[in-house]
């Protein structure tokens, strides 16, 4: 009997935002695989679940570079899929933990596809998590979408030139991982015909959380990878809710 | 001392997708206000938290029509804000429960804004939840967004005519509450130059969950309010992950 493979979203950073399902599954599985992305070997996703007090012997780490050139990570995922399958075929269950939601800008997706392609006999269960846009808007007190409004989410590095047009059509635009293009973003925002509400947030829900409403003050700063900007058109509160 | 007001997202339908924070807060507050939207007085959000076994005496219901004409609901929210404040001013804490995430197409938003406007002295905490798009993609096994991809979310009733253009730019498009415009959607999809992957889902995570991949089979059916369609462009798996 082949074990089940779980893709577990652990939420944006606050351990209390883990779902009950994630907590149960992480307690039940034989192995928890996780990426680590810092030179010192620490893992953001592993840190989120630390308060669960699971034994360290249950964890296996996989090194990812998180660079824009993904070829090395692809090899790593191929190797990880094999390593995970060798546990599953012995009847053991394995979870892969990932920040936020497993299918939303996550490192889990490629592993998921490799597993489906190489080992179609494996049963995979994906456990959704709270995303960083949801957590960020909750912390900032800024609604994402009323009943008639549209929402766009862009990885900042790949879509910034389209931003002015999108802000006409979408009530809220989330820019994910703005760290690399932040100064370019400031220029675009300064050139908009009508100003929009803009909120910068990093590491939402962690002890290092930072929320900044005057984006100009961040100019030239070295911003972290887990950073996003929420852009929202001002609208009449009573309109269409 | 004025009590705290909590906007609590209870997730898409599966009680196990409640966050640990939602469970803790709902246990601690003095009152849980909730909308009910069915003629028989049952409430979807209240049903999600039923397994917590909280005493019925802790709940107060507010009637909402969920119709497109929101003027009646607006009056209801004004009255609800007053009713909630009269508890808060006596030092009691109050939670408002809402399906999914409180700031994402939720009935909570208007209440939040009324509360901020009328009673700015009230401290409000929003507890984010797992959204139905995250739950739906997890159940369907279809990734939402790789690192370079854009995502759009549209309330189907208000944005369907823009759909063909959006499918060129966004890798994934979610259409929320497709029930009223489903046959029109089928026509648009049939007229696309390149077919896209389309998955219909209703009541994700509940016992009545339904996932349909051949949308044509639903033609003419009377679909429920909690329905969505995930549209995804076919893309090379190895591209950019």
């Amino acid at each position: 009997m082949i074990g089940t493979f779980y893709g577990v979203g652990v939420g944006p950073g606050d351990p209390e935002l883990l779902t009950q399902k994630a907590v149960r599954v992480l307690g039940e599985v034989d192995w928890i695989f996780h990426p680590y992305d810092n030179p010192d070997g620490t893992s953001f996703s592993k840190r989120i679940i630390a308060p669960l007090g699971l034994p360290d012997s249950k964890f296996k780490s996989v090194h990812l570079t998180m660079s824009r050139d993904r070829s090395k990570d692809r090899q790593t995922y191929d190797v990880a899929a094999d390593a995970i399958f060798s546990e599953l075929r012995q009847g053991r269950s394995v979870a892969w933990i990932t920040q936020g939601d497993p299918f939303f800008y996550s490192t889990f997706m490629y592993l998921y596809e490799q597993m489906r392609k190489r080992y179609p006999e494996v049963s995979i269960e994906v456990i959704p998590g709270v995303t960083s846009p949801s957590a960020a808007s909750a912390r900032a007190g800024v609604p994402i979408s009323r009943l008639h409004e549209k929402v766009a989410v862009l990885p900042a590095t790949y879509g910034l030139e389209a931003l002015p047009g999108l802000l006409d059509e979408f009530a809220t635009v989330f820019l994910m991982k703005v760290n690399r293009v932040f100064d370019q973003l400031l220029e675009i925002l300064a050139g908009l015909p009508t100003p929009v509400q803009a909120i910068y947030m990093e590491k939402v829900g962690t002890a290092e959380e930072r929320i900044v409403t005057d984006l100009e003050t961040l100019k030239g700063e070295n911003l972290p990878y887990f950073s996003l900007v929420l852009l929202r058109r001002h609208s009449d509160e009573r309109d269409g809710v």
Side-chain angles (χ1 to χ4, degrees), chain A residues 5-18:
Chain A
F5 179 46
Y6 297 90
V8 179
V10 298
D14 177 354
E16 262 207 302
L17 291 180
L18 277 161

Side-chain angles (χ1 to χ4, degrees), chain A residues 42-55:
Chain A
T42 57
S43 153
F44 189 59
S45 51
K46 190 180 172 192
R47 211 160 42 134
I48 294 174
I49 67 167
L52 301 183
L54 299 168

Side-chain angles (χ1 to χ4, degrees), chain A residues 7-118:
Chain A
V8 179
V10 298
D14 177 354
E16 262 207 302
L17 291 180
L18 277 161
T19 65
Q20 299 192 101
K21 197 166 198 165
V23 173
R24 174 178 61 80
V25 166
L26 293 175
E28 288 174 0
V29 290
D30 296 300
W31 288 109
I32 299 172
F33 279 64
H34 63 92
Y36 70 88
D37 43 31
N38 295 325
D40 63 354
T42 57
S43 153
F44 189 59
S45 51
K46 190 180 172 192
R47 211 160 42 134
I48 294 174
I49 67 167
L52 301 183
L54 299 168
D56 225 37
S57 57
K58 197 170 176 167
F59 290 86
K60 293 202 185 199
S61 70
V62 173
H63 183 72
L64 298 174
T65 61
M66 304 294 264
S67 74
R68 200 165 163 176
D69 168 24
R70 296 274 150 201
S71 56
K72 275 186 193 150
D73 284 354
R74 287 173 194 166
Q75 288 164 27
T76 313
Y77 283 120
D78 295 352
V79 173
D82 291 346
I84 291 168
F85 182 70
S86 91
E87 298 296 333
L88 298 174
R89 76 201 292 193
Q90 294 174 72
R92 298 199 189 97
S93 54
V94 175
W96 174 274
I97 51 174
T98 187
Q99 194 232 3
D101 179 82
F103 278 162
F104 186 76
Y105 300 113
S106 136
T107 49
F108 171 72
M109 252 171 288
Y110 187 71
L111 183 58
Y112 174 81
E113 279 158 1
Q114 281 309 98
M115 192 63 84
R116 289 246 277 208
K117 194 187 284 179
R118 291 173 175 231

Side-chain angles (χ1 to χ4, degrees), chain A residues 145-165:
Chain A
S145 46
R146 293 149 194 277
L147 296 183
H148 66 299
E149 291 177 340
K150 301 173 196 170
V151 181
V153 189
L154 323 177
T157 319
Y158 298 94
L160 226 45
E161 64 291 340
L163 190 58

Side-chain angles (χ1 to χ4, degrees), chain A residues 129-152:
Chain A
V130 174
T131 63
S132 56
S134 284
S137 66
R139 291 289 297 145
V142 177
I144 301 172
S145 46
R146 293 149 194 277
L147 296 183
H148 66 299
E149 291 177 340
K150 301 173 196 170
V151 181

